């Protein structure tokens, strides 16, 4: 497993949950028959649950809320270049504006994602955003996650 990579950007505050909606509209969204939240999804997909736990383990010392998926959005599906991803998102309970995550799960239950932390400066006008990558994030997954994030700006 590669060590976590960090990228820092300065910009105005935005929310990853809105970025996820952008992600789902950038490619071809795949319709789900019913809304399923991460906890229920993981119970019915134990291999993915195990992969998520393994991928996010390095985050848990400082971000314990990720283990229980946080305040989560319904699980989505996204297709790009013939690949279908399950999209799992959540944010820190009672603090969604400062910590969120997005995880992409492929057909083989490989989990790739980012914990995104936003910190506002004392002036209130500028935010520092840090991406803590988890799982085996390749260039393709990183590009999808950053596109979704940038689209929300």
């Amino acid at each position: 497993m590669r060590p976590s990579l960090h990228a820092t950007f300065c910009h105005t505050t935005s929310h990853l949950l809105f970025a996820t909606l952008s992600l789902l509209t950038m490619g071809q969204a795949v319709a789900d028959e019913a809304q399923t939240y991460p906890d229920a999804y993981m119970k019915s997909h134990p291999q993915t649950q195990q992969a998520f736990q393994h991928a996010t383990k390095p985050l848990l010392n400082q971000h314990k809320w990720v283990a229980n998926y946080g305040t989560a959005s319904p699980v989505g599906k996204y297709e790009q270049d013939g690949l279908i991803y399950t999209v799992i998102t959540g944010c820190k309970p009672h603090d969604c504006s400062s910590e969120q995550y997005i995880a992409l799960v492929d057909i083989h239950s490989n989990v790739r994602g980012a914990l995104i932390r936003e910190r506002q400066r004392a002036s209130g006008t500028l935010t520092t955003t840090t991406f803590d990558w988890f799982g085996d994030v390749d260039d393709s997954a990183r590009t999808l996650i950053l596109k979704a994030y940038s689209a929300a700006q």
Side-chain angles (χ1 to χ4, degrees), residues 119-145:
R119 302 293 182 243
Q120 193 170 16
R121 294 182 184 215
S123 66
T125 59
L126 195 59
T127 302
T128 300
T129 301
T130 303
F131 292 78
D132 293 317
W133 305 102
F134 58 84
D136 189 16
V137 178
D138 59 10
D139 289 340
S140 176
R142 187 177 291 117
T143 298
L144 285 174
I145 292 165

Side-chain angles (χ1 to χ4, degrees), residues 68-87:
N68 295 318
Y69 316 112
T71 302
S73 298
V75 172
K77 297 282 185 190
Y78 175 75
E79 180 178 355
Q80 180 165 322
D81 300 328
L83 300 174
I84 297 176
Y85 297 94
T86 299
V87 182

Side-chain angles (χ1 to χ4, degrees), residues 9 11-12 14-16 18-20 22-23 26 116 118 129 131 142-153:
F9 301 93
H11 58 82
T12 57
S14 65
H15 301 283
L16 181 62
F18 294 123
T20 302
S22 298
L23 172 69
M26 285 189 305
I116 302 168
E118 298 181 335
T129 301
F131 292 78
R142 187 177 291 117
T143 298
L144 285 174
I145 292 165
L146 290 174
K147 274 185 184 179
Y149 185 78
S150 295
Q153 303 305 305

